Amino acid sequence: MMGLLVLGLLIWVGAHIFKRVAPEQRAAMGDKGKGVVAVALFISLGLMIWGYGGVEFIPVWYPPAFMVHINNLLMLVALFVFGMSATTGRLRGKMRHPQLTAVKIWAVAHLLVNGDLASIILFGGMLAWAVLEVILINKAEPVWDRPQPGEAKKDVLLVVITLVMYAAISAIHVGLGVWPFPG
């Protein structure tokens, strides 16, 4: 199962950086290439979920219980930052790579509360991918055309959506048997 997790992670990284490391080949694929990349990403997610869910638990370190509180706070921040990529409010354009920054926050949050080998591979691998992706994007496109900010009320909507998404993701974790709140 560890092999499936690693394979899924490698496909995820490869599919995402393909456009950056082989732009001519990706461009030659045209619109059909988007479908190929989407299928690769779908397969990679399935492999990572299946592999992570079935892998033997191999403890590497034992996170202290208080880390759950830090994880939960970081997850709220990650969801908010991720949402900044779609906002049309005042926060629009405050951050160049909000989705990738959110992945970094998400990965660090999960590394703080999961000390097993599979978690270190999955969340550490996603963290490394997000860092690499930002480097590759900034190298390929060094100039960023910052979008103009919009209305402040859209930022309020972002907060509401963040809280709803946090509740939904927490419910999914509970449904999977992972209680995300300290008792």
Side-chain angles (χ1 to χ4, degrees):
M1 290 305 218
M2 187 68 81
L4 294 178
L5 171 61
V6 171
L7 178 61
L9 189 57
L10 291 173
I11 293 171
W12 174 272
V13 171
H16 275 93
I17 68 169
F18 176 55
K19 176 174 139 178
R20 304 290 170 199
V21 298
E24 295 84 19
Q25 291 85 345
R26 173 58 190 91
M29 295 172 73
D31 283 342
K32 184 177 101 173
K34 292 179 183 177
V36 171
V37 170
V39 168
L41 292 173
F42 183 75
I43 290 169
S44 73
L45 281 172
L47 289 170
M48 286 188 285
I49 292 167
W50 187 20
Y52 184 76
V55 76
E56 176 187 352
F57 184 85
I58 302 170
V60 175
W61 74 290
Y62 298 93
F66 73 87
M67 288 292 190
V68 173
H69 299 291
I70 296 170
N71 172 76
N72 290 341
L73 178 61
L74 287 174
M75 286 309 303
L76 266 173
V77 172
L79 289 169
F80 182 83
V81 169
F82 191 89
M84 285 174 60
S85 67
T87 188
T88 56
R90 300 291 303 160
L91 295 173
R92 182 180 185 179
K94 294 290 184 190
M95 183 180 297
R96 181 167 182 185
H97 305 290
Q99 290 181 346
L100 291 167
T101 301
V103 169
K104 293 178 206 175
I105 297 167
W106 167 84
V108 168
H110 282 77
L111 286 168
L112 292 176
V113 293
N114 294 288
D116 61 293
L117 183 60
S119 293
I120 292 169
I121 290 170
L122 176 61
F123 302 118
M126 292 297 282
L127 176 60
W129 160 72
V131 168
L132 175 63
E133 191 77 25
V134 167
I135 292 167
L136 291 173
I137 291 169
N138 289 348
K139 183 177 177 185
E141 304 164 18
V143 177
W144 177 44
D145 186 20
R146 185 182 301 269
Q148 292 298 313
E151 303 174 59
K153 68 181 180 180
K154 298 291 186 171
D155 294 333
V156 173
L157 180 61
L158 174 58
V159 170
V160 171
I161 292 170
T162 297
L163 294 173
V164 169
M165 290 304 300
Y166 185 81
I169 291 169
S170 296
I172 291 168
H173 277 74
V174 170
L176 293 172
V178 178
W179 184 250
F181 307 104

